[in-house]
Amino acid sequence: MTSSIDLAVIGGSGLYKFPGLENTSRQSVDTPYGPASGDVVIGDFAGRRIAFLARHGESHTLPPHRVNYRANLWALQHLGARRVIGVNAVGGIRADMGPRVIVIPDQVIDYTHGRYTSFCDVEGAGVKHIDFSEPYTASLRTALIGAAHRAGVAVIDGGCYGATQGPRLETRAEIARMKRDGCDLVGMTGMPEACLARELELDYACLALVANFAAGCGDEAEISIEEIFAHLAAATAQVPPILAELLKT
C-alpha cells in the first residue's frame, strides 16, 4: 500500500494519543505477524500527514516484553511510512541525563531475551544480515537534533541506550553493570524495534524521554511511579514542537 504519510511516530509510556492531530482516521492492519499494538491513527499535523501508534496500546495494556514489535513496524511500512520516530520512556544512568531531559541516542546494547528480533524468524523467510553498527539512521538523527534546536527544546546529542526486559525496574547491581558496559540510558522498548526497522529499510531514530534516574544513580531511595509519570508528562509536552519542526525538512 502506498500513502502520503510523511512521518510515523510510535508513542511510548505517557504518549498514547498524539496531541494536535487533526482530520484523523483509524487503520486496523492485518499483519503476517499477528495484531499490532492497536489501530494506527493517521491525521494532519503541522501541515503534513503523520501516522501514530501507541506502542503499549492506548490504555497501556501491553508490557514491554509482550509488545508485537514486528507487527507494529510492518503495519507502519504497509501504510506507507518511510521515516519512524520511536518515543521511549527511559531511566538516566549518566549524571547529565536526569528527569525530564530528552536524549537522541546513537547506540544500543540489547539485554532483552525471548523476543522476536527479526523478520527472518518465520518459516520460509530468507536470512538477512543487516549492518547494525550504527543502529539509528544518521540523517534522521541529524534532522531530529536540528528540529529540536529550531523548536527551542534542549536535547542531548548521543548516548547509549541499554534495553532491558522489563516490566520490572532494574536492580542497583544491574544498573552498575550497564554503566560499566557503557550505557547512558536504560529502557525496555528500544529493542528489537530499532533492528526491525532496519530490516524493513525504514529510517528510524529515537526520542528518549528521561522519566527518572536509574537505580543507584540519583538521590532517591526509591523510585516513585507517580514521579515517573509526572516527569514523563513534562518531557512529552516537548515532543510535538520538535516533530513539527522535523516535518519542515
Side-chain angles (χ1 to χ4, degrees):
M1 176 181 291
T2 59
S3 172
S4 58
I5 292 174
D6 297 292
L7 184 70
V9 180
I10 301 176
S13 296
L15 184 57
Y16 310 114
K17 296 181 180 179
F18 194 86
L21 198 59
E22 300 177 337
N23 304 317
T24 60
S25 63
R26 303 177 70 92
Q27 300 287 332
S28 178
V29 181
D30 292 327
T31 88
Y33 308 97
S37 294
D39 291 346
V40 179
V41 180
I42 299 175
D44 298 326
F45 175 73
R48 308 293 286 271
R49 295 288 283 174
I50 73 167
F52 176 78
L53 178 62
R55 185 185 290 114
H56 297 283
E58 293 179 359
S59 300
H60 201 115
T61 54
L62 295 169
H65 64 296
R66 297 295 299 273
V67 171
N68 192 337
Y69 297 93
R70 292 191 301 181
N72 288 351
L73 271 298
W74 192 94
L76 293 173
Q77 185 201 47
H78 177 74
L79 291 171
R82 294 296 175 265
R83 297 194 299 171
V84 179
I85 300 296
V87 181
N88 300 78
V90 298
I93 297 175
R94 209 167 83 187
D96 60 341
M97 296 183 179
R100 306 192 182 197
V101 169
I102 299 177
V103 184
I104 302 176
D106 61 349
Q107 279 297 325
V108 168
I109 298 178
D110 189 4
Y111 300 93
T112 66
H113 53 84
R115 303 183 184 189
Y116 288 110
T117 61
S118 173
F119 291 100
C120 301
D121 292 332
V122 293
E123 188 69 29
V127 177
K128 190 172 186 178
H129 299 286
I130 58 170
D131 180 357
F132 205 55
S133 54
E134 301 294 334
Y136 303 105
T137 304
S139 59
L140 186 54
R141 282 193 70 257
T142 299
L144 198 55
I145 292 163
H149 290 165
R150 292 193 302 275
V153 178
V155 297
I156 293 178
D157 174 5
C160 182
Y161 180 123
T164 59
Q165 183 71 356
R168 67 168 178 84
L169 299 177
E170 301 75 27
T171 68
R172 289 173 180 262
E174 288 169 333
I175 294 298
R177 180 189 68 165
M178 294 177 71
K179 187 174 184 178
R180 291 192 298 270
D181 287 348
C183 294
D184 302 301
L185 301 164
V186 56
M188 302 173 188
T189 55
M191 288 290 287
E193 194 169 277
C195 62
L196 292 169
R198 181 64 52 85
E199 283 195 3
L200 291 178
E201 299 181 356
L202 297 170
D203 288 340
Y204 179 87
C206 169
L207 271 176
L209 314 182
V210 183
N212 58 281
F213 272 116
C217 296
D219 297 330
E220 301 87 354
E222 185 175 340
I223 297 172
S224 161
I225 296 299
E226 290 75 20
E227 287 181 342
I228 285 175
F229 278 96
H231 293 320
L232 270 181
T236 298
Q238 304 300 314
V239 172
I242 295 174
L243 297 186
E245 289 294 331
L246 178 66
L247 286 165
K248 296 177 181 178
T249 60

